[in-house]
Amino acid sequence: MPTTLILGASRGIGLELARQSLAAGERVIATARSDAGLQTLRALGAQALRLDVAEPASVSGLAWQLDGEQIDSAWYVAGVMCARADARQPPTAPAFDRVMHTNVLGAMQVIPQVAPLVEAAGGRFGFISSTMGRIGDVEASNAWLYRVSKAALNMVVASARHSYPRAVLAAFHPGWVQTDMGGAQAPVTVTDSVAGLRRTLAALTLADSGAFLRYDGQRLASW
C-alpha cells in the first residue's frame, strides 16, 4: 500500500487530497494545526499529525514523527495571504513573517526532513504554489507579498531537486480554485483541481524534477 503525506490537510486542497488519496487505497499521513482539523482527518481514516508550518519550532519536530517511514507521495499544501493593504506601505512585520514562514520558510524546513523519505521510496514531492494571475494585483500588499512568496517557493523547489536526485520535486499551480481564497466565482472545483494534481504528479519522471506546472500538466514559468 503506497503512503501519501499531506502537509496542511485540514481544509481546501489539502483535505481533498486526503479524501482522494484514501479513496484510491493509499495510506495517508496528514497534518493539521487545530484539534478540529485533526478530528476531521482521523474521521476520514488518515493518520493525523499536529503541525503548524508557520511555527519553526513545530516544523522542526516533523522528522521524529515520521521516523522509519518511506513516503511514496508527499504534498506541501500550506499557503496564506495577509490582510489587504495599499502596496505603497509595507506589510506589518507579523503579516510578513506569517506569509513567509508559511509559504516559504516552512517548506525550507520540511524539505530536508521529508525529501530523504521520498527519495528512499523513489517517490514524488509536490508543492502547491500559485501564479496569482487572477487573484489580486501588485497594488495590494497582500497580493504582492503572496506572489513574491510563491515565486520564492518555486525557486526553493528548483534548487532542492539537486540535493535529492532520486526523488521528483515539483511545484504546482492548482488553478483558480473554489476555496476560501479563490471564492465561489472561481472556475475550477477543488475536486477537479486535486484530481489533476494527483494525475500530473504521478506521471512525472526524474527529468521533470524542479518544474513548475499547472494542475493539468501544462508547464509554467517560475518567474
Side-chain angles (χ1 to χ4, degrees):
M1 178 185 297
T3 297
T4 296
L5 171 67
I6 305 164
L7 301 163
S10 59
R11 59 190 176 87
I13 290 171
L15 184 58
E16 183 62 20
L17 276 167
R19 289 194 182 105
Q20 292 194 21
S21 299
L22 287 163
E26 299 164 21
R27 172 175 171 253
V28 172
I29 306 171
T31 74
R33 293 180 298 176
S34 67
D35 289 338
L38 293 169
Q39 290 171 6
T40 297
L41 292 170
R42 288 171 183 143
L44 288 176
Q47 177 183 338
L49 304 178
R50 186 181 299 276
L51 181 72
D52 185 347
V53 296
E55 296 293 336
S58 177
V59 186
S60 67
L62 180 61
W64 70 262
Q65 296 188 79
L66 297 174
D67 186 42
E69 296 285 357
Q70 285 195 0
I71 307 296
D72 299 282
S73 298
W75 292 95
Y76 185 88
V77 185
V80 67
M81 294 179 76
C82 61
R84 183 180 176 90
D86 190 322
R88 290 171 292 185
Q89 300 297 321
T92 65
F96 181 87
D97 286 348
R98 181 167 180 257
V99 172
M100 294 304 291
H101 273 290
T102 302
N103 297 359
V104 186
L105 301 180
M108 292 174 70
Q109 281 191 277
V110 160
I111 287 171
Q113 299 182 74
V114 173
L117 307 179
V118 176
E119 192 173 42
R124 300 171 175 85
F125 198 165
F127 298 76
I128 301 301
S129 184
S130 177
T131 64
M132 281 296 294
R134 301 180 73 175
I135 307 174
D137 55 47
V138 297
E139 295 300 314
S141 65
N142 63 337
W144 187 228
L145 176 57
Y146 185 84
R147 188 181 301 199
V148 169
S149 73
K150 290 300 191 178
L153 175 61
N154 294 347
M155 295 301 98
V156 167
V157 174
S159 177
R161 79 185 194 276
H162 298 295
S163 297
Y164 306 99
R166 296 184 300 280
V168 177
L169 280 69
F172 291 92
H173 174 48
W176 187 18
V177 186
Q178 295 171 8
T179 61
D180 55 353
M181 184 178 292
Q185 75 276 18
V188 183
T189 67
V190 178
T191 301
D192 288 346
S193 175
V194 168
L197 288 166
R198 283 173 44 81
R199 282 194 303 269
T200 300
L201 184 69
L204 298 183
T205 69
L206 290 174
D208 302 307
S209 196
F212 178 41
L213 308 103
R214 202 167 65 181
Y215 70 100
D216 58 4
Q218 177 183 332
R219 288 180 176 266
L220 301 169
S222 295
W223 293 288

